[in-house]
Amino acid sequence: MRLGDPVIPLSLERFRLLRDLINRRFGIFFSDDDRYLVESRLSERLIHLDLLSFDDYYHYLQYHQDGEHELERGAEILTTNETYFFREEYQLKAFSQEILPELHERLINKRRMMIWSAGCSSGEEAYTIAMLVRDSGLFHGWDVRIFGSDISARMLAKARRGIFGTSAFRATSEDLQRRHFNPAQGSLQVNEDIRVLCHFGRLNLLDEEKIIFVGRADVVLCRNVLIYFDKRSKSRALSIIYDRLNDDGYLLLGHTESLLNLSTAFELVHLRNDLVYRRPKAGSDGF
Amino acid sequence: MKKLARRIADSSPEVRRRAVRELGAIPMKDSIDLILVALADDDWRVRKETVSVLSDVPCDSDVVGRLVEALVQNDNVGLRNASAEALATMGGDAVTILSDRMGSLGAQDRKVALEVIGRSGDPRSGDMLISHLKDPDANVRVCTAELLGEQGGGEALDALMECVDKSDYLLTLAALQSLNKLGARIPWRKLEDLSDDPILGSEILFAMGRSAQPEAASIIVKNIPEEPAAVRSLELLHGDSNRTAKAVELALKNADEIVHETLAAIVSQEETIDQRAAVRCLMWSRRIESLPLLVSLVSDETMHRVIVEGLSDWGEPAFAALEEMLPTLDGRPLASVVGLLARILDEEQGRSKAALFIAYLHSSNIAVATAAAGAVARFGNEGVIPRLIEMSAFEDKRVRRAAGHALVQVGCRVPGAVRDRLLQMEITGLGGIEICRVFEVVGRPEDTSALAGALSSPIPELRRASLSSLAAIAGSAAVDTISLAMTDEDMGVRMAAAFALARIGPAAAETIVSAIHTTQGPLKAALVRALGRVGHIEAPAILKGLCRESSEVAMAALEAMRNLELAPGELQYEILNHDDSEVVKKALLFLGSAVSGQRIVALLKHPAWDVRLAAVDRLSFGEYRDPEISVELEARLRDEKDDLVRAAIEHALEERKGVK
Ligand SMILES: C[S@@+](CC[C@H](N)C(=O)[O-])C[C@H]1O[C@@H](n2cnc3c(N)ncnc32)[C@H](O)[C@@H]1O
């Protein structure tokens, strides 16, 4: 939406209907205060679809054959995709110095490791993890798969291209930049040896059916995603993630997030560098 | 009646036409006067309607007699043609009256009468026509010969054959035409007699083409400058036997220069039916001088095969001449010759010229390099790999494809060398697509990491190609990775993932089954087909659930059932109740005798006529012997409104009687 584009008025009542639609499907929740944000961002979609009012838009979402896809596009515009390389240093330190060595030991027989970045946005998180895996020097010749998923096709396309501008590097040392990136089109592109570890896919965290394609993960990063969800959706998402984790598999949340009052299924693990969650071995109580 | 008469004279053709329709309901003896008026109408639609009324109602001999009168009058051509048409539809009666009257008719009327007889389909018509081959009037004889050419049959052929002699040129020409049309073979001595007659021209040459006589070759060849169409008769003659083929080739080799010039001229005229035949003649004459002309045609798809096959038969002289041409050419013509050599040389000859092809592989002209890629696909070894890899990343898609194809072929011969090269490179960009295909042939299970980059490429086509490659080389170890690709935002990639899973086999069954439940539309259909390939213990239950889904999914389920040879009763019941009649028909076809007679009988009342028809067709098979079924068919026949279905039921009942 550009400055000066018209804004189509969204009544509180309609706002709540739309909000609930998005919430049921994707978990993201908007409070009444967000109404004007939703109004101004979604106006672009209405104009694009030649719709005159939010009544029409709601109707479109519900009954048009393309309604499902449109809801995805709407949600895509409304979500925050903010992300950057090497975000949350302490946690990453715990990951590379404590979790990776432990996984190396645990999985040495299978030589397979799967890490899932759920809500990966434009891919910086997944690539960061791939760099840490490579730099650990522990997994040479292993079948390592890092899977980034998001609902935004636009973000996934960016992730696949692997070319990033300066704001993505606000927490990346020059040394890391030099080692893992190459100049491309005036920006920096992630090196091939890192890209080959990463796979991307479009997946709604609440889509219990499609989520099975993820298989089983040894670590799930779901950072700064659930903070936009309401409590019920958070619980649902956590239960889904729980099912996707191997026994003793780790769950890493954003540093402002915790499972307090949400889930008792995970155990809290005190690492030297950070606190993280873990799926207990089978036999312990789950959901 | 008066009213109708007034309307038959109305000024509007549409009013007149409707009036004619109503005339059909009145006994013919009362309406015949008006009918004849209508048959003479100015407007063709009215005449046509009248003919149709006449063919629908029974006519007594009076009526036929009146029509015959109308036929032999000379004032009104429209009336005459319309009555001819009407009489032809009446068959027997008309033929009897016409033959009775023939003696009293003039020549022109006899011709018209014979045309009616010829078209009547009456069994007597052949004999009657044959007798008029001796008609005193020349025009009638010629016309009769033409009519016999349309009718055919053994007796007609014999009679026409009799007419071929020197005594009556016009009749001979007509008889030759008819015999050629019927594909008859005329005895050589007759043709030989006529061979120097200029009027008979191309017809006699065509007849000679069919004569199977080696002597015909030189006569036809000699006549090519006068009758270029004769090239087609040479083609016929050549195809008859080894002896005639040899004779044709020899005659062409010894032919005068003017014959070759004519052939070249025919070849240069584009898109005539004679062009192909003339090209073949040039191939048979094996004259090096024709090579440039032939080469110029290689890129024409319709000629390509003829030329490649023909030149391979020439052997060494052609190869040498083509090679000599090479330095004098560039661009497209050069590419044509390189491509030609790539196809006609055998392995040994090709390998001995490998250096030549490799040189052209490095040509800056894309067409030449592409043609050379075709050659090294057959004759190349390690040496060509780097250049082919380079070409596989070219902008032009045809070059990429040719290079990829060549790499696959070279990979079949020296897999190790190709693989080593591929493992050293990054698989990216559009060129990666070809490389993935090559990997399918030369890759080993431990090479999957080389494909990883392609799997996460921003180019969907490359992701697709890498999935298929991955499935081919890694098999069951690739299931998890392919499963991730089922979440790809590109539909084509998800489809490719479904195909890849099918390719892996039983190890992918679980993933396929879960994926079926989460997808819709074409992707779901692809997964269901995949299930049909790999099988699963729960397949019957899963397929049953799919039988009522959209047509494309139900069709896929049906294919899966067939592949897995699963057709338990409740599954059949579901699929035969699908809303889409195409699905039901396909189910009848696919499930074959697995469907019980009772179930098919139930379909006899299906709302769609095509399903009823398919059901009836199946019941006419010997497998369904239960006499109860015949009773059901008879019952259906009483209610059935659709003509096609009725006819099929009658046929089925006949068949069933035969079986018992
Ligand atoms: C703020 S970004 C976080 C990116 C990254 N994890 C990080 O911490 O830097 C949140 C992402 O979650 C995605 N998201 C929101 N709801 C989602 C859902 N239901 N399923 C999958 N992704 C979702 C958004 O599209 C957005 O790209």
Side-chain angles (χ1 to χ4, degrees):
Chain A
M1 176 123 238
R2 278 165 315 224
L3 215 64
D5 276 350
V7 167
I8 297 166
L10 171 60
S11 70
L12 186 60
E13 192 191 346
R14 282 285 166 265
F15 163 74
R16 286 181 179 156
L17 278 175
L18 279 173
R19 164 185 80 187
D20 291 348
L21 216 54
I22 291 172
N23 175 249
R24 271 197 302 274
R25 191 71 182 281
F26 299 107
I28 308 161
F29 184 80
F30 298 98
S31 72
D32 287 356
D33 296 341
D34 295 323
R35 174 170 145 207
Y36 294 103
L37 175 108
V38 170
E39 179 184 82
S40 79
R41 290 208 187 161
L42 284 186
S43 287
E44 180 190 322
R45 292 306 305 159
L46 270 66
I47 292 165
H48 180 85
L49 295 170
D50 258 340
L51 299 174
L52 296 178
S53 70
F54 274 96
D55 272 3
D56 293 346
Y57 189 59
Y58 181 73
H59 203 265
Y60 188 99
L61 292 174
Q62 292 261 290
Y63 304 111
H64 193 275
Q65 57 172 4
D66 195 39
E68 284 221 3
H69 284 134
E70 180 52 34
L71 190 61
E72 283 171 14
R73 272 176 233 121
E76 187 173 357
I77 297 186
L78 292 173
T79 49
T80 308
N81 304 114
E82 165 73 4
T83 182
Y84 49 94
F85 288 105
F86 295 96
R87 187 178 191 176
E88 293 174 24
E89 198 187 343
Y90 282 104
Q91 193 179 48
L92 296 180
K93 216 169 180 182
F95 175 79
S96 57
Q97 295 181 357
E98 300 174 67
I99 295 180
L100 281 183
E102 186 202 320
L103 288 175
H104 176 257
E105 205 167 298
R106 195 196 308 160
L107 304 171
I108 187 90
N109 289 330
K110 289 195 293 177
R111 294 164 72 82
R112 273 165 89 97
M113 179 168 71
M114 155 79 174
I115 298 171
W116 177 22
S117 160
C120 67
S121 188
S122 39
E124 286 88 329
E125 183 174 271
Y127 288 131
T128 299
I129 294 300
M131 292 172 201
L132 293 175
V133 168
R134 276 259 187 266
D135 285 350
S136 75
L138 294 172
F139 300 94
H140 190 75
W142 282 44
D143 175 8
V144 175
R145 216 166 313 136
I146 295 159
F147 177 53
S149 68
D150 204 284
I151 46 169
S152 166
R154 215 160 24 104
M155 288 302 124
L156 289 170
K158 191 173 168 204
R160 287 187 199 281
R161 268 199 310 143
I163 299 176
F164 300 92
T166 37
S167 71
F169 297 103
R170 67 188 91 148
T172 314
S173 70
E174 270 200 21
D175 172 55
L176 282 166
Q177 291 188 36
R178 222 180 17 254
R179 283 196 294 117
H180 292 303
F181 294 86
N182 256 309
Q185 301 168 23
S187 310
L188 290 180
Q189 181 168 37
V190 182
N191 282 348
E192 174 80 4
D193 68 327
I194 298 300
R195 292 221 312 263
V196 297
L197 297 179
C198 300
H199 302 252
F200 294 97
R202 187 174 192 180
L203 204 53
N204 172 5
L205 209 40
L206 296 185
D207 186 337
E208 267 147 295
E209 291 191 327
K210 291 220 171 68
I211 220 89
I212 53 125
F213 291 126
V214 175
R216 293 287 177 141
D218 300 300
V219 182
V220 175
L221 294 97
C222 187
R223 309 192 305 168
N224 310 302
V225 177
L226 301 182
I227 41 171
Y228 302 103
F229 286 22
D230 67 315
K231 197 171 164 213
R232 246 190 66 235
S233 309
K234 281 182 191 169
S235 293
R236 263 178 72 198
L238 285 166
S239 136
I240 287 174
I241 291 173
Y242 182 92
D243 286 341
R244 289 297 110 209
L245 270 173
N246 281 322
D247 284 349
D248 285 333
Y250 288 99
L251 166 64
L252 308 189
L253 298 172
H255 71 111
T256 58
E257 303 169 84
S258 88
L259 297 186
L260 215 63
N261 299 329
L262 282 174
S263 164
T264 53
F266 293 89
E267 55 188 10
L268 190 62
V269 186
H270 293 262
L271 299 177
R272 262 179 291 117
N273 293 294
D274 203 359
L275 293 174
V276 296
Y277 293 95
R278 186 164 65 191
R279 173 180 164 141
K281 260 204 194 21
S284 328
D285 244 356
F287 281 86
Chain B
M1 202 56 155
K2 268 207 192 110
K3 247 196 221 149
L4 272 179
R6 219 176 306 127
R7 283 172 52 207
I8 293 272
D10 195 278
S11 61
S12 149
E14 184 50 26
V15 171
R16 302 202 295 279
R17 194 185 65 79
R18 294 229 193 105
V20 169
R21 203 60 324 240
E22 286 169 39
L23 275 180
I26 297 168
M28 196 50 77
K29 64 178 179 4
D30 302 329
S31 64
I32 183 68
D33 291 327
L34 285 179
I35 289 274
L36 286 172
V37 171
L39 264 188
D41 199 288
D42 289 339
D43 192 283
W44 66 269
R45 280 162 302 187
V46 180
R47 296 200 298 274
K48 192 163 174 228
E49 186 72 67
T50 318
V51 170
S52 133
V53 164
L54 278 166
S55 65
D56 284 349
V57 299
C59 296
D60 58 22
S61 51
D62 271 357
V63 173
V64 178
R66 297 283 298 272
L67 286 171
V68 169
E69 292 308 326
L71 182 70
V72 299
Q73 53 75 38
N74 279 319
D75 306 331
N76 183 329
V77 183
L79 172 61
R80 184 185 185 127
N81 292 342
S83 16
E85 219 171 297
L87 282 166
T89 67
M90 291 175 186
D93 286 346
V95 172
T96 309
I97 295 185
L98 281 172
S99 73
D100 288 350
R101 299 226 17 212
M102 198 64 89
S104 60
L105 296 178
Q108 182 57 27
D109 290 339
R110 287 206 298 285
K111 233 180 85 179
V112 180
L114 286 170
E115 270 165 21
V116 171
I117 291 172
R119 280 158 50 195
S120 68
D122 188 84
R124 290 166 296 170
S125 63
D127 284 345
M128 291 171 73
L129 286 177
I130 287 171
S131 69
H132 282 274
L133 282 174
K134 301 223 162 64
D135 195 282
D137 183 87
N139 268 326
V140 176
R141 293 197 296 273
V142 167
C143 161
T144 308
E146 280 165 7
L147 288 168
L148 283 169
E150 269 153 41
Q151 239 183 15
E155 284 168 25
L157 259 161
D158 290 344
L160 285 167
M161 216 65 98
E162 290 285 305
C163 303
V164 178
D165 64 30
K166 284 197 157 171
S167 62
D168 183 345
Y169 277 132
L170 282 182
L171 179 59
T172 301
L173 185 60
L176 279 175
Q177 247 160 14
S178 289
L179 287 165
N180 282 335
K181 204 189 237 166
L182 297 171
R185 181 179 288 179
I186 303 169
W188 178 242
R189 63 187 155 72
K190 277 187 181 274
L191 294 174
E192 215 177 7
D193 266 1
L194 299 167
S195 63
D196 39 50
D197 204 304
I199 314 181
L200 303 174
S202 60
E203 288 304 334
I204 186 98
L205 295 175
F206 275 121
M208 286 188 165
R210 269 200 197 80
S211 69
Q213 201 67 28
E215 290 94 310
S218 57
I219 302 176
I220 302 177
V221 168
K222 201 172 65 203
N223 278 288
I224 286 177
E226 284 295 317
E227 289 290 344
V231 288
R232 274 181 282 149
S233 59
L234 271 189
E235 225 182 352
L236 281 177
L237 189 63
H238 190 278
D240 190 83
S241 67
N242 276 341
R243 278 176 58 229
T244 54
K246 285 234 171 65
V248 169
E249 288 168 21
L250 191 70
L252 282 166
K253 243 179 243 160
N254 298 334
D256 294 341
E257 199 50 40
I258 175 129
V259 170
H260 294 287
E261 279 164 19
T262 313
L263 287 174
I266 304 173
V267 168
S268 315
Q269 286 160 17
E270 268 168 36
E271 289 177 43
T272 68
I273 40 169
D274 301 333
Q275 192 191 26
R276 223 180 84 110
V279 167
R280 303 191 72 182
C281 289
L282 285 180
M283 301 297 335
W284 293 325
S285 61
R286 301 204 178 183
R287 285 159 39 107
I288 299 292
E289 298 92 304
S290 317
L291 264 183
L293 178 61
L294 293 170
V295 165
S296 72
L297 292 171
V298 168
S299 51
D300 178 339
E301 270 173 45
T302 54
M303 299 297 166
H304 186 92
R305 246 191 63 190
V306 178
I307 294 174
V308 170
E309 281 172 9
L311 285 184
S312 313
D313 288 345
W314 286 28
E316 203 53 57
F319 311 153
L322 285 172
E323 221 182 310
E324 242 164 64
M325 283 169 74
L326 288 172
T328 66
L329 302 170
D330 58 10
R332 286 236 149 256
L334 176 58
S336 295
V337 175
V338 171
L340 204 52
L341 280 170
R343 283 189 180 76
I344 63 181
L345 295 181
D346 68 23
E347 304 250 316
E348 201 180 315
Q349 294 159 333
R351 266 199 303 269
S352 72
K353 302 207 180 349
L356 185 76
F357 292 128
I358 294 174
Y360 286 121
L361 197 61
H362 287 85
S363 164
S364 57
N365 181 295
I366 284 196
V368 175
T370 309
V376 301
R378 286 192 62 202
F379 316 120
N381 50 23
E382 280 102 310
V384 301
I385 301 171
R387 172 62 176 168
L388 287 177
I389 289 179
E390 204 174 291
M391 286 169 69
S392 73
F394 275 20
E395 187 124 10
D396 188 312
K397 186 172 176 183
R398 274 164 311 176
V399 182
R400 291 202 309 268
R401 296 262 36 209
H405 171 76
L407 275 171
V408 167
Q409 300 300 317
V410 175
C412 291
R413 291 194 290 277
V414 282
V418 174
R419 172 173 176 266
D420 288 347
R421 274 286 174 169
L422 297 194
L423 287 177
Q424 287 165 27
M425 60 183 287
E426 272 181 25
I427 305 183
T428 54
L430 289 171
I433 298 172
E434 298 303 327
I435 301 301
C436 283
R437 297 203 175 111
V438 184
F439 242 115
E440 280 193 47
V441 179
V442 301
R444 302 206 195 125
E446 63 268 29
D447 299 342
T448 49
S449 58
L451 288 168
L455 283 166
S456 51
S457 159
I459 304 171
E461 289 86 351
L462 181 53
R463 300 206 291 279
R464 266 184 249 170
S466 64
L467 283 168
S468 130
S469 212
L470 187 67
I473 66 174
S476 57
V479 173
D480 290 350
T481 306
I482 297 174
S483 172
L484 288 182
M486 288 295 302
T487 68
D488 199 287
E489 61 275 26
D490 182 275
M491 174 67 166
V493 178
R494 297 200 296 273
M495 288 294 266
F499 295 138
L501 288 172
R503 194 164 178 172
I504 286 174
E510 284 300 336
T511 308
I512 292 172
V513 166
S514 347
I516 285 175
H517 296 305
T518 74
T519 45
Q520 289 144 20
L523 182 59
K524 185 169 200 164
L527 286 161
V528 173
R529 286 196 182 90
L531 176 65
R533 277 185 62 178
V534 304
H536 189 274
I537 176 118
E538 282 165 32
I542 296 166
L543 292 174
K544 182 179 170 199
L546 300 171
C547 285
R548 294 280 181 108
E549 291 205 13
S550 68
S551 302
E552 68 184 330
V553 173
M555 289 276 196
L558 196 51
E559 277 169 39
M561 281 179 218
R562 187 171 70 161
N563 277 354
L564 299 172
E565 293 177 5
L566 278 175
E570 74 267 38
L571 239 160
Q572 284 180 24
Y573 177 80
E574 290 295 328
I575 197 88
L576 291 174
N577 274 313
H578 200 279
D579 290 338
D580 183 346
S581 60
E582 291 303 321
V583 174
V584 181
K585 279 192 297 183
K586 198 161 184 183
L588 276 177
L589 194 72
F590 272 18
L591 301 175
S593 54
V595 187
S596 72
Q598 281 318 314
R599 219 147 248 151
I600 303 178
V601 163
L603 292 177
L604 291 176
K605 295 203 177 87
H606 198 279
W609 68 269
D610 49 343
V611 171
R612 298 200 299 278
L613 187 65
V616 173
D617 279 345
R618 275 226 66 87
L619 290 175
S620 61
F621 282 69
E623 300 141 17
Y624 302 103
R625 282 160 196 264
D626 183 357
E628 200 43 39
I629 291 177
S630 294
V631 177
E632 295 283 355
L633 279 169
E634 269 153 17
R636 184 62 221 166
L637 189 58
R638 284 193 286 279
D639 297 338
E640 182 59 58
K641 296 277 185 301
D642 187 281
D643 287 341
L644 268 178
V645 182
R646 291 182 61 85
I649 296 179
E650 281 161 4
H651 174 78
L653 285 167
E654 277 301 306
E655 293 280 308
R656 297 177 62 81
K657 260 186 219 140
V659 168
K660 271 183 270 167

